Amino acid sequence: MRIPFLPRAESARDLGIEEARLRFITETRGGSAFLLAGAVFWLGGAVIGVVVPGAAVGWVLYGGLAVPLVALVLARLQCARLFGNASYATLASLATLTELAALPVMFFLREDHPEVLPGVLMIADGAHLLILMWLHLDYTYFLAGLVKAVLGTLFLFGTVWAGSYPLQMAASGAVSVAAALLVWRDSSRTLSLHLVRPAPSGRP
């Protein structure tokens, strides 16, 4: 999805985008494997919340450790190259690490307020997507991050589905799946999305 506040340009050079960056976006499929892996984490948590409610808190705290491994498997299935450009791959990794900022808060709250943990993690998840929006030049990341931040806030303050791990985790997982599909679709046409479209034949 085109970033609306990035002006269209006549060429990649006018847009200020390096060829290496466009190649990275295409080769990594826009990072969609990591969005799907995140979806696996969230949806897996929803299932655990129904089947084994007592394990839900542990999953929210530690289940995310499996996300990079799942992403590598999914990227391989996509035939994506995640490490073709070390600089951009490092930036993507650092963006993901920002989610770790939620862990101290979650550990602090897990005994007295375990019901808020999904909301806290969802807000951090949404925040890290803003970095990926600029890296992959896809506005879908921003919209997904905004939705996660709003939902996480509603969950955190008990406004919606208070304390329901399955529903909260499923909601975040659904957002991740939708975003992954859109990002995957757009990753092969990033440049065309941001270039000025030529006028149809016969029209000025």
Side-chain angles (χ1 to χ4, degrees):
M1 189 178 295
R2 189 181 80 84
I3 299 177
F5 42 83
L6 191 63
R8 293 185 186 273
E10 297 287 343
S11 66
R13 176 179 298 179
D14 295 334
L15 199 58
I17 302 173
E18 299 177 346
E19 179 69 27
R21 186 175 178 188
L22 289 172
R23 188 164 55 250
F24 173 79
I25 294 171
T26 302
E27 289 178 348
T28 61
R29 306 295 187 266
S32 56
F34 283 90
L35 282 170
L36 284 174
V40 170
F41 161 75
W42 289 108
L43 296 176
V47 173
I48 290 173
V50 172
V51 179
V52 194
V57 171
W59 177 260
V60 173
L61 290 172
Y62 305 109
L65 294 174
V67 170
L69 297 177
V70 175
L72 291 175
V73 172
L74 292 174
R76 190 169 185 83
L77 293 175
Q78 289 180 336
C79 298
R81 292 183 60 203
L82 299 181
F83 307 105
N85 185 300
S87 297
Y88 291 124
T90 300
L91 179 56
S93 300
L94 292 175
T96 303
L97 290 176
T98 59
E99 290 187 80
L100 296 178
L103 283 178
V105 179
M106 293 167 67
F107 278 114
F108 179 74
L109 295 173
R110 66 175 174 174
E111 296 296 336
D112 296 327
H113 300 286
E115 72 280 0
V116 306
L117 299 187
V120 172
L121 184 58
M122 204 175 300
I123 293 171
D125 187 16
H128 101 278
L129 296 181
L130 299 182
I131 302 173
L132 297 177
M133 176 192 71
W134 283 112
L135 177 61
H136 292 291
L137 291 175
D138 198 315
Y139 198 59
T140 301
Y141 276 110
F142 171 80
L143 295 179
L146 180 62
V147 171
K148 281 179 178 276
V150 171
L151 285 177
T153 301
L154 293 176
F155 298 155
L156 182 62
F157 290 100
T159 309
V160 179
W161 296 334
S164 175
Y165 270 47
L167 290 176
Q168 293 182 17
M169 301 287 279
S172 187
V175 173
S176 293
V177 170
L181 294 175
L182 291 173
V183 166
W184 178 80
R185 181 198 66 179
D186 292 339
S187 62
S188 62
R189 57 177 189 155
T190 300
L191 184 58
S192 63
L193 285 173
H194 291 86
L195 293 183
V196 175
R197 293 187 178 91
S201 179
R203 296 178 61 182

